[in-house]
Amino acid sequence: MNGSKPRDVFRLPGFLAFWTAETVSEFGSYVTTLALQVLVVLTLHGSATQVGLLNASRWLPYLVLGLILGALVDRWRRKPILVATDLGRALLLGVIPGLWLLGWLSLPILMVFVALFGVLTLLNDAASQSFVPRLVSAPDLLAANARLDQGAATAQTSGPVVAGALVTALGAPLAVLVDAASYLISALVVWRIPVEEPVRAKSPVPLNLRREIGEGLAYVYRHPRLAPFAWGTHGWFLFNSMLTTVFTPFVLLELELTAFQLGIALAAAGGAGLLGSLAAARIGRAWGAGGAVIACRALMPLAWAVIALAPGAGSPWTLVALAVGQGLYGLAMGASNANEMGYRQAVTPDALQGRMNTTMRSLNRGMIVVGAPAGGWLADTLGYRPTLWIAIAGFVAVMLFLAASPFRHARHGDTA
């Protein structure tokens, strides 16, 4: 890739509006993520295993429907999907507080709503990631994804703190309404974006899901650099889901911190993630996509080791250790994600964008379906800290696999 200075993607038609919609909905999502986990632990008096089951129910649709819906998204215009799924998610989240007020909310019912939410999120994710290459050209994808990550990191910095305050003041169920409002705003903003989208509805080739799903699978898992990256990322999601599932009950139950303090610790990841995303494009151009991602994956085990070594309940350093660990984790995430997404989008033809994205995301989220309950069960059986160390060892193994694979040679100038 040449060393010319990239364009300011905010000046490209439609991108600033899309960035705004994504950032607003990201803010609400961080509120809901914390609120639902606190709801299970404190309101419904659930265990770490039950937190894992709730997390798994959100991502189960990716495992069951991901490949099918990815093939269909490639045949549809993407903006209408984004608008419809945002409206649907706002409706689903708006029902949860009502069920709680009526005394009808339980873990099984909550899991059903979260699973339906996951179906809409699956469609939205496939359309969103495939929509970006229609707003910006290939040379601008790294910068565009870095801008999106900066918005997400800003939301992550404020979202958990606001969530902790809302949960403390209003209770976890009512805090979910903030996310419902964010999706309504996102739908309105995206609806107003002017964009030309090709339509494949009149394709002379009839719909053949088996063939079209197979094309997506073949492209990802036969690509010389995408394939090892995909396998490494599947492993990363397995162990990351164990860590994120255990983190909330570890903080609330073993370390005896409040929901607000939990939000502060999580916000540290957002603040550092913003710094990482600001440097992501520069790191990617200097080290290449492969080098940047592998370096970030090497930092993540260190980040979680700091968390696993946090002092016990009552220590004034407990929150500091959690914030430092989350900060290092967020820094690595912020610097890595734009390089991952920019590279994937740049080397994939437009006609395969939806299938490439859902192929990778379906199996990634499938790993959460396995890892989240497994992490919860291990925490309930072995304890929180041993489970954290098991997942940290998994992070190290995944990083070493990527470092030894052809993905280490991936560059942002690659076109196939």
Side-chain angles (χ1 to χ4, degrees):
M1 183 174 183
N2 61 45
S4 61
K5 185 178 180 180
R7 291 187 292 176
D8 182 359
V9 290
F10 281 151
R11 296 181 180 272
L12 300 178
F15 183 77
L16 179 58
F18 179 72
W19 177 89
T20 300
E22 290 288 293
T23 301
V24 168
S25 62
E26 283 278 357
F27 172 85
S29 295
Y30 282 110
V31 173
T32 292
T33 298
L34 186 143
L36 289 181
Q37 294 191 71
V38 173
L39 190 155
V40 171
V41 174
L42 299 183
T43 304
L44 300 179
H45 307 291
S47 65
T49 301
Q50 289 174 317
V51 172
L53 290 172
L54 180 71
N55 289 343
S57 66
R58 178 176 179 179
W59 305 114
L60 181 61
Y62 281 81
L63 185 61
V64 178
L65 299 173
L67 298 178
I68 296 172
L69 294 181
L72 294 175
V73 164
D74 276 335
R75 287 180 166 260
W76 299 335
R77 289 185 299 132
R78 287 148 196 182
K79 190 172 87 168
I81 298 174
L82 295 174
V83 173
T85 53
D86 276 344
L87 292 174
R89 290 188 289 183
L91 177 62
L92 282 172
L93 291 176
V95 173
I96 291 175
L99 292 173
W100 173 72
L101 289 170
L102 291 170
W104 296 347
L105 190 62
S106 64
L107 182 64
I109 290 175
L110 188 61
M111 288 174 63
V112 170
F113 271 82
V114 169
L116 293 173
F117 181 88
V119 173
L120 296 177
T121 300
L122 161 60
L123 278 167
N124 188 275
D125 284 348
S128 175
Q129 293 177 356
S130 305
F131 191 58
V132 175
R134 292 186 175 177
L135 291 176
V136 304
S137 60
D140 295 313
L141 284 171
L142 174 59
N145 281 287
R147 287 296 192 187
L148 289 168
D149 285 347
Q150 289 158 22
T154 301
Q156 186 179 5
T157 302
S158 55
V161 176
V162 173
L166 288 172
V167 168
T168 301
L170 304 176
L174 292 179
V176 174
L177 289 175
V178 173
D179 198 10
S182 76
Y183 285 123
L184 291 176
I185 295 171
S186 177
L188 176 62
V189 173
V190 171
W191 175 64
R192 294 175 60 86
I193 294 176
V195 63
E196 294 286 338
E197 290 199 272
V199 181
R200 294 184 60 200
K202 297 181 179 180
S203 171
V205 181
L207 177 64
N208 184 325
L209 284 176
R210 177 178 294 183
R211 175 179 57 79
E212 296 192 20
I213 289 171
E215 288 174 354
L217 288 167
Y219 186 79
V220 170
Y221 293 107
R222 292 178 183 174
H223 193 283
R225 291 169 298 281
L226 272 186
F229 171 68
W231 288 115
T233 303
H234 301 334
W236 182 89
F237 268 88
L238 174 69
F239 297 112
N240 189 68
S241 66
M242 295 172 62
L243 291 165
T244 54
T245 294
V246 171
F247 184 70
T248 295
F250 174 60
V251 172
L252 296 176
L253 301 179
E254 179 160 320
L255 301 183
E256 299 179 2
L257 299 185
T258 66
F260 182 66
Q261 290 172 311
L262 171 62
I264 292 174
L266 292 171
L274 177 59
L275 296 177
S277 64
L278 289 170
R282 182 178 301 174
I283 294 171
R285 290 192 296 269
W287 297 354
V293 171
I294 291 167
C296 292
R297 296 283 176 89
L299 179 58
M300 291 178 188
L302 174 62
W304 281 97
V306 173
I307 292 171
L309 292 170
S315 171
W317 296 102
T318 301
L319 183 57
V320 173
L322 296 178
V324 169
Q326 284 288 321
L328 292 173
Y329 175 65
L331 182 69
M333 290 284 288
S336 176
N337 192 62
N339 284 287
E340 297 178 27
M341 288 304 306
Y343 183 79
R344 284 166 48 181
Q345 291 166 344
V347 300
T348 303
D350 182 78
L352 283 166
Q353 286 283 343
R355 281 170 285 175
M356 178 276 292
N357 284 318
T358 50
T359 292
M360 293 192 65
R361 290 179 73 88
S362 294
L363 291 179
N364 287 345
R365 271 53 184 182
M367 293 297 101
I368 299 177
V369 174
V370 175
W377 178 80
L378 285 172
D380 289 336
T381 304
L382 303 178
Y384 296 111
R385 294 183 196 269
T387 303
L388 290 174
W389 286 115
I390 290 171
I392 289 167
F395 262 12
V396 173
V398 167
M399 181 274 295
L400 293 175
F401 167 78
L402 277 182
S405 77
F407 178 69
R408 68 183 185 276
H409 301 302
R411 297 292 183 270
H412 285 294
D414 298 342
T415 58

